[in-house]
Amino acid sequence: MILKVYTSLWLLFLVNSVWTRTVRQVYDDLDPGHWSHYTSECPQECFCPPSFPNALYCDNKGLKEIPPIPARIWYLYLQNNQIETISEKPFANATHLRWINLNKNKITNSGIENGVLSKLKRLLYLFLEDNELEEVPAPLPVGLEQLRLARNKISKIPEGVFSHLENLTMLDLHQNSLLDSALQSDTFQGLNNLMQLNIAKNSLKKMPLSIPANTLQLFLDNNSIEVIPENYFSAIPKVTFLRLNYNKLSDDGIPPNGFNVSSILDLQLSHNQLTKIPPINAHLEHLHLDHNKIKSVNGTQMCPVSIALEEDYGYYGNIPRLRYLRLDGNEIQPPIPLDVMICFRLLQAVVI
């Protein structure tokens, strides 16, 4: 199970670099005689590298509109401009686009021509961070694998906007204006292969409803969440990385064994209002509890297995796998109790 999780995460993080490197290798072997043709097609405002003819670099050019995109382009870089609209005309010949970066522009929902994005049938990566969107744009290309919408003004997610995005593995909505009311029970319906969901830095007071079952990484930092519902994580049995830093969680807001979940390997609860360490699972490897109100650590109570049994079975038993423990910014006085070290024999670092 853990091997599968790490394999999936490795693919998620490295797919961009591996794919790009492979494409570069293919086109490095092209006949230089074709380069003049590629240069003549290149929009005057942009740069078309001869060694990478499928890429078009129009970033940091002060553009107010998107130039005509040549048919050969797969990778389109338009970040750091003054673009306000996305219309169909520039993409008339761009039927092979895989990647569009439109970060740091001035794009609004009204500036996106109806249906223009969904017509980009081969698009896999769409970056629209740091714009002026007030809702998730729709409709979207059905083949999308990554959708990045961080740092906009999004407060609304249209009904069914994700329902056909079965290939989406990453959805980034952090630092927007989402309230609990924006996340309905069917909001994420259809995201059957989602691996990473980032809703950090919004205005949530509750844990979001109906997270896709295959989610591995769930980021909810910097909200105002106070309560973890009973058995919340049973609906997302593969969640591995969970970040709830900078919320308003207290001891009363966490049900018994709320975080005692075998799939979670990295649990971050920094900057909350906890006065004691919540029960954890023996599979947990990284635990961040810094900057809470914890006054003491009791290794016997904290240990997810019986210390006596652990001593009997040693490394052949189900010993806890905790390797990193952060407790600084609390009211704990060193040294760490010996029973903590006896329980967590694999600990490599304790910050206090």
Side-chain angles (χ1 to χ4, degrees):
M1 170 61 188
I2 293 175
L3 178 59
K4 291 182 179 179
V5 167
Y6 280 126
T7 302
S8 299
L9 291 175
W10 183 257
L11 291 173
L12 176 65
F13 291 137
L14 297 185
V15 65
N16 296 356
S17 59
V18 171
W19 183 21
T20 302
R21 187 162 58 250
T22 302
V23 173
R24 284 183 182 273
Q25 290 171 350
V26 171
Y27 288 100
D28 280 345
D29 296 333
L30 285 176
D31 183 354
H34 296 295
W35 292 354
S36 60
H37 169 66
Y38 295 138
T39 303
S40 66
E41 278 193 327
C42 189
Q44 185 176 1
E45 311 93 324
C46 306
F47 172 60
C48 299
S51 61
F52 195 20
N54 281 85
L56 180 61
Y57 291 87
C58 307
D59 51 308
N60 296 285
K61 302 295 184 181
L63 299 179
K64 293 187 176 181
E65 58 183 31
I66 300 173
I69 310 304
R72 70 174 190 276
I73 298 303
W74 286 21
Y75 305 96
L76 177 59
Y77 298 89
L78 288 161
Q79 66 270 27
N80 293 299
N81 283 293
Q82 304 294 317
I83 296 170
E84 297 181 0
T85 61
I86 304 176
S87 59
E88 188 173 339
K89 186 176 179 181
F91 298 102
N93 297 318
T95 57
H96 296 283
L97 277 174
R98 264 67 165 178
W99 173 303
I100 298 178
N101 189 332
L102 276 160
N103 292 345
K104 295 187 178 180
N105 279 282
K106 296 183 177 181
I107 298 167
T108 62
N109 289 93
S110 61
I112 302 176
E113 187 174 335
N114 186 38
V116 61
L117 296 175
S118 63
K119 291 179 181 178
L120 302 173
K121 303 295 186 182
R122 301 188 182 184
L123 195 65
L124 301 178
Y125 299 82
L126 178 58
F127 301 166
L128 281 165
E129 299 178 345
D130 296 284
N131 278 279
E132 298 179 14
L133 299 172
E134 295 183 353
E135 61 182 69
V136 174
L140 292 162
V142 295
L144 270 187
E145 294 182 4
Q146 289 191 17
L147 177 59
R148 304 194 186 200
L149 299 169
R151 295 178 297 277
N152 277 275
K153 303 174 183 178
I154 296 173
S155 61
K156 181 181 178 182
I157 301 178
E159 184 178 356
V161 66
F162 302 128
S163 60
H164 301 296
L165 302 186
E166 293 189 1
N167 295 327
L168 200 71
T169 59
M170 175 191 285
L171 175 58
D172 191 344
L173 288 163
H174 88 269
Q175 200 165 334
N176 277 284
S177 302
L178 292 170
L179 299 171
D180 296 319
S181 58
L183 304 180
Q184 300 299 314
S185 59
D186 60 350
T187 295
F188 301 112
Q189 185 175 346
L191 299 180
N192 298 327
N193 290 295
L194 194 70
M195 297 171 66
Q196 184 184 105
L197 177 60
N198 192 340
I199 326 178
K201 294 188 177 181
N202 277 278
S203 300
L204 304 180
K205 294 183 178 181
K206 300 178 181 179
M207 295 292 284
L209 301 171
S210 301
I211 300 297
N214 286 319
T215 302
L216 298 176
Q217 300 178 332
L218 179 58
F219 303 151
L220 292 164
D221 314 75
N222 292 89
N223 281 285
S224 298
I225 297 170
E226 299 179 355
V227 176
I228 307 294
E230 189 82 32
N231 299 319
Y232 181 83
F233 299 105
S234 62
I236 42 176
K238 298 181 180 180
V239 64
T240 305
F241 294 86
L242 177 61
R243 291 195 337 214
L244 279 159
N245 304 318
Y246 291 95
N247 276 283
K248 296 182 179 181
L249 288 171
S250 64
D251 302 328
D252 293 337
I254 300 175
N257 294 311
F259 294 119
N260 188 359
V261 180
S262 61
S263 66
I264 298 179
L265 303 182
D266 190 299
L267 176 59
Q268 301 190 19
L269 297 169
S270 305
H271 294 271
N272 278 280
Q273 300 171 13
L274 303 175
T275 64
K276 59 184 180 181
I277 298 174
I280 60 174
N281 192 271
H283 291 91
L284 188 67
E285 297 183 2
H286 296 84
L287 178 59
H288 298 246
L289 286 166
D290 54 287
H291 298 90
N292 277 275
K293 299 178 180 180
I294 301 170
K295 295 183 179 181
S296 63
V297 181
N298 186 316
T300 303
Q301 293 177 358
M302 179 184 175
C303 193
V305 300
S306 168
I307 291 180
L309 289 176
E310 186 181 344
E311 289 177 341
D312 290 340
Y313 289 101
Y315 284 96
Y316 297 100
N318 186 28
I319 68 167
R321 301 177 187 176
L322 194 67
R323 289 171 168 80
Y324 179 88
L325 175 61
R326 184 170 178 183
L327 291 166
D328 55 304
N330 284 284
E331 302 174 31
I332 303 168
Q333 297 298 319
I336 291 290
L338 179 60
D339 53 2
V340 173
M341 309 310 295
I342 292 174
C343 173
F344 301 106
R345 300 184 185 186
L346 302 181
L347 263 177
Q348 298 175 356
V350 180
V351 184
I352 188 170

